[in-house]
Structure formats: C-alpha cells, structure tokens
Amino acid sequence: MFIHVSVLVGGCADMCQYLNTKDTFPPQTCSAIMDVKVVLVIVCLCILAITSSEAGIPKCCLHTKKKIRPRTLMNVQRWEMQKSSGECEIKALVLYLKGYEKPICAHPSELRRLKRMKIKRS
C-alpha cells in the first residue's frame, strides 16, 4: 500500500516537473493536482486505519437471550463474562460455539446451566 502511495505522489511530482518545462500548464495547476492527490491518500489511509483496527471499537452485547437451548450449550467451546462497567452497558455471558463465527450473547444466569451441562458431559 505504501509503495503505491509514494509512486503516486512521486509520479505526480515528475509529471508536474515535465509539464512545467514544456510550459503547458501553469505551476498552480500542478500544485492543485498534488494537493488533491495528497488529500486522497490521507483519506484512504484514515479509512484503512479505522476499518482494520478492532481495538478502537469494543465488541459488546447489546441484548441477551434469556433461554439457550441445551444443544447450543453443548456446542460451547469457550465463554467469557462481559461486565457492565467500562465500555459495555450490560452484563452478559458471551458464548463462542463450534462452527459459528459470531458469539451468542446470553443472560448471565445461563452460566449455571452451562456449567451443569459441561459437568454432565464429562
């Protein structure tokens, strides 16, 4: 990404130098082209930084399911408790399941059922 950016800006500078030697465009035109390209590069880098950083946006459960099916509880690989203090507003049991990309947000009371299911399975 950064190589392409430097080539873009460098190429534009070379083009402006060439054009100025030919007296085709006034220097203000080349300066305006450079300004637009620099702004475009900065905007693209900002968008890339915002979309690629997961640390900037916390992943919080906004609502919870009160009842989780036993079959779903059997497929839990790991879990964590979301606290209501800090960046998240509600307390929730976050369940990570086999074969699912997104976790399930359960009511914290489901932790007792989950532990009982895991003990019975062992």
Side-chain angles (χ1 to χ4, degrees):
M1 173 79 183
F2 293 111
I3 295 170
H4 298 295
V5 170
S6 64
V7 168
L8 177 71
V9 174
C12 186
D14 292 341
M15 179 185 72
C16 285
Q17 234 176 11
Y18 173 77
L19 292 175
N20 283 338
T21 58
K22 296 289 186 183
D23 292 330
T24 313
F25 293 107
Q28 297 85 4
T29 305
C30 288
S31 177
I33 291 171
M34 284 291 290
D35 291 343
V36 169
K37 290 201 177 204
V38 169
V39 168
L40 180 65
V41 168
I42 290 172
V43 168
C44 289
L45 290 175
C46 288
I47 290 171
L48 180 67
I50 290 170
T51 56
S52 67
S53 68
E54 290 187 20
I57 303 170
K59 302 222 184 240
C60 296
C61 294
L62 301 177
H63 60 278
T64 60
K65 293 184 179 182
K66 294 253 184 212
K67 247 343 191 171
I68 304 294
R69 294 184 326 185
R71 176 178 279 167
T72 303
L73 289 175
M74 294 296 286
N75 289 325
V76 172
Q77 286 184 320
R78 66 182 177 91
W79 60 270
E80 55 189 51
M81 191 62 75
Q82 172 183 298
K83 297 180 181 179
S84 60
S85 61
E87 59 270 340
C88 300
E89 294 180 8
I90 64 170
K91 191 173 181 181
L93 177 65
V94 184
L95 305 173
Y96 297 91
L97 305 171
K98 296 174 191 171
Y100 283 81
E101 254 183 60
K102 293 182 179 181
I104 293 177
C105 299
H107 192 272
S109 63
E110 290 293 291
L111 182 58
R112 277 184 260 131
R113 287 184 60 222
L114 175 65
K115 286 182 177 180
R116 279 195 306 246
M117 295 289 283
K118 292 291 184 180
I119 290 172
K120 285 180 184 179
R121 201 170 84 179
S122 300

